Amino acid sequence: MAGLIIAIIILNFVAFRTNKRLSKNQIIHIWAFTTVFQDSFDLFVDYKYQGYWYFTKDVDWQAVPAHFAIVPPVNMMFLNWFPFNSALLKQILYFICWDIGTVTYEFITMLPEPWGYFHYGWWKWWYSAMINPMLLLILIGYYRWICQVEDDLLNGKKNK
């Protein structure tokens, strides 16, 4: 549990302290989207098929902070620093660095308690390495959609 609390404090501090791009509205959208998307995925992989789990294989209260306060600030940092106006190669390298970083963090979360809180069942680290870029692409698509909706609202365009 100590590792989870430390991670929540550090990740949220860095995400909010370094944010230069995301508006409050975008942060709220990203936080809600991330939580619903993560919990939908975890509903099957974690609870139904027990591919991985937080703390115990059961649904438990101590895992709630992991579901609501770890991935959203990470997604905030990813979007805040993403090189949107850079060459494709730079964007691909950015994805690779984030993929390596998230898988490394996953390994850290599997340390023995009190530092670790994440456990593998049949899930393998390379499943995460393969799926993370797809999840980040979905996040970018969602972020761009939110930005477009905001622009439309500011310019007085009606939703069709």
Side-chain angles (χ1 to χ4, degrees):
M1 186 65 121
L4 176 62
I5 293 167
I6 292 167
I8 288 171
I9 292 168
I10 291 171
L11 292 172
N12 281 277
F13 178 80
V14 172
F16 284 97
R17 189 80 169 142
T18 63
N19 179 42
K20 302 283 189 256
R21 172 179 283 154
L22 303 174
S23 68
K24 289 178 186 175
N25 182 56
Q26 292 166 348
I27 291 170
I28 292 167
H29 276 278
I30 294 305
W31 206 284
F33 172 77
T34 299
T35 303
V36 170
F37 196 58
Q38 176 187 3
D39 285 344
S40 297
F41 188 84
D42 282 353
L43 185 65
F44 291 95
V45 179
D46 181 351
Y47 303 122
K48 183 171 179 150
Y49 297 114
Q50 296 186 336
Y52 56 76
W53 57 88
Y54 302 92
F55 295 105
T56 69
K57 291 182 180 181
D58 297 321
V59 176
D60 50 25
W61 287 105
Q62 65 186 23
V64 170
H67 288 274
F68 292 102
I70 290 288
V71 179
V74 171
N75 284 348
M76 283 176 59
M77 289 184 283
F78 175 82
L79 290 170
N80 184 53
W81 302 327
F82 188 81
F84 284 101
N85 298 319
S86 297
L88 182 61
L89 180 61
K90 187 171 185 177
Q91 293 178 359
I92 291 170
L93 290 173
Y94 186 79
F95 268 93
I96 291 168
C97 289
W98 271 87
D99 201 17
I100 292 168
T102 55
V103 171
T104 301
Y105 177 75
E106 200 168 287
F107 280 123
I108 293 168
T109 64
M110 291 189 295
L111 289 171
E113 289 192 40
W115 308 111
Y117 57 91
F118 188 69
H119 307 277
Y120 282 161
W122 53 263
W123 193 262
K124 308 287 185 227
W125 70 268
W126 56 272
Y127 295 168
S128 295
M130 297 284 289
I131 202 168
N132 285 344
M134 290 182 271
L135 297 174
L136 292 171
L137 282 171
I138 292 168
L139 175 67
I140 287 174
Y142 182 78
Y143 172 71
R144 286 184 169 155
W145 178 59
I146 292 303
C147 290
Q148 183 60 53
V149 170
E150 286 180 343
D151 288 346
D152 289 349
L153 289 172
L154 288 173
N155 295 324
K157 293 182 183 176
K158 301 242 184 207
N159 292 335
K160 295 182 180 180

